Amino acid sequence: MASVSIPACTSALLLDIEGTTTPITFVKDILFPYIREHLEDYLSTHWEEDECKEDVHLLKKQIEEDMKQNRACPVHVVDQTVHTDEEKAIKKVVEDVLWQMAADRKSTALKQLQGHMWRAAYASGRIKGEIYPDVVPSIKKWRERGLKVYIYSSGSVEAQKLLFRYSVEGDVLELFDGHFDTTIGAKVEAKSYERIAEKIGCQPEEITFLTDVAREAKAAEEAGFNVLVVVRPGNLELTDEESAHYNLITSFSQLQLTGRA
């Protein structure tokens, strides 16, 4: 694909992670399976710790809210091999988490627990954050030209920071000026992007958002952001209408910073 210019008024870039800075396969084939494989052991080990108690509390509140809103909820099956109250409670949390993951829920409660689990895996070297090779050189170039760079992902801020601190490129966390997750709002709602612009201290038209998801691009566009859709291997295919509407890039290196020294 050819170079794509971003407006001269741009002062900040807002980046999605999955499918934009990082292969979708990293999340689906490494991060999520890690949760499924280690969830019960993690809960059993940390059950009495305050952080784990807070995670479980948030998950329970999420289920209660789903029931109030008549949203779909997990159905619990009685396991006759489980005897103690703690074992029963842990099994229930495991079912809740696995159900939310299978339903591709983006709840803050789920993302917080996942972030805490990944923290130990990253720190021990069992997981390293994957980043496309064009990402770090491009961000360094943008920063040299005076642009600020932020992340907005459905993964918790903690999970975002872990990915970039323990990445295959080393610790690149300092390349980012800030991080946003779903605590600021859903990524498919224009209001979320308006809040981000306010937090960053920029007008919406001064921010360029890079994502692989057309619904997110639409929401950001409605909020007044400039939008680029990133086409990477494994990303959800765009419709012909979406491909015609948005500026598309396959690499960050295609971005041209118009009117900047």
Side-chain angles (χ1 to χ4, degrees):
M1 288 188 181
S3 297
V4 175
S5 296
I6 60 174
C9 67
T10 300
S11 59
L13 286 149
L14 182 66
L15 312 178
D16 170 48
I17 291 181
E18 186 182 350
T20 300
T21 66
T22 297
I24 278 184
T25 50
F26 174 66
V27 177
K28 295 196 184 318
D29 297 345
I30 295 174
L31 290 186
F32 286 170
Y34 180 86
I35 299 293
R36 286 191 285 266
E37 288 163 23
H38 297 90
L39 178 59
E40 192 166 342
D41 285 346
Y42 176 87
L43 290 170
S44 298
T45 302
H46 300 282
W47 190 251
E48 293 300 327
E49 296 171 14
D50 289 344
E51 183 177 82
C52 187
K53 285 179 180 177
E54 173 63 17
D55 292 343
V56 171
H57 174 68
L58 281 179
L59 286 163
K60 285 178 179 173
K61 278 181 66 178
Q62 178 68 54
I63 294 292
E64 287 167 10
E65 183 61 28
D66 287 345
M67 291 175 77
K68 273 188 202 167
Q69 300 294 332
N70 291 318
R71 297 193 195 108
C73 291
V75 176
H76 296 291
V77 179
V78 178
D79 186 342
Q80 301 297 340
T81 65
V82 176
H83 301 294
T84 70
D85 288 343
E86 183 177 303
E87 285 176 328
K88 286 176 186 171
I90 289 171
K91 286 281 188 188
K92 191 167 181 289
V93 173
V94 169
E95 287 175 16
D96 288 345
V97 170
L98 295 182
W99 181 87
Q100 284 200 51
M101 289 177 68
D104 198 25
R105 293 291 299 273
K106 309 287 188 188
S107 74
T108 299
L110 173 65
K111 296 301 179 183
Q112 180 170 301
L113 173 63
Q114 289 174 330
H116 291 154
M117 287 186 64
W118 288 325
R119 181 177 59 202
Y122 278 114
S124 68
R126 280 179 285 178
I127 292 177
K128 280 194 182 295
E130 290 184 22
I131 306 173
Y132 284 111
D134 55 275
V135 170
V136 170
S138 297
I139 293 176
K140 286 179 176 175
K141 192 184 298 180
W142 301 338
R143 291 180 65 85
E144 285 168 6
R145 304 281 287 276
L147 290 172
K148 290 182 179 282
V149 183
Y150 297 84
I151 293 287
Y152 181 29
S153 172
S154 57
S156 68
V157 166
E158 179 167 18
Q160 297 171 28
K161 288 181 175 180
L162 288 168
L163 190 155
F164 294 112
R165 180 178 290 127
Y166 298 102
S167 85
V168 290
E169 303 273 354
D171 184 351
V172 295
L173 195 55
E174 65 179 14
L175 294 179
F176 303 100
D177 294 281
H179 298 257
F180 300 97
D181 59 19
T182 53
T183 57
I184 205 156
K187 294 182 74 183
V188 294
E189 294 174 2
K191 278 282 180 195
S192 306
Y193 298 89
E194 291 169 12
R195 292 186 197 109
I196 287 172
E198 194 175 322
K199 290 273 188 187
I200 289 174
C202 292
Q203 293 301 311
E205 62 271 18
E206 296 173 331
I207 304 170
T208 294
F209 178 49
L210 277 65
T211 180
D212 63 307
V213 179
R215 288 179 67 208
E216 295 173 5
K218 182 174 184 287
E221 197 173 48
E222 286 172 1
F225 283 36
N226 180 50
V227 173
L228 295 172
V229 174
V230 183
V231 180
R232 303 276 201 186
N235 287 2
L236 190 66
E237 200 167 325
L238 301 170
T239 64
D240 290 342
E241 187 180 350
E242 289 163 350
S243 295
H245 179 75
Y246 294 109
N247 282 322
L248 310 180
I249 59 170
T250 58
S251 167
F252 283 12
S253 60
Q254 290 171 250
L255 259 68
Q256 294 296 311
L257 308 181
T258 312
R260 287 181 173 267

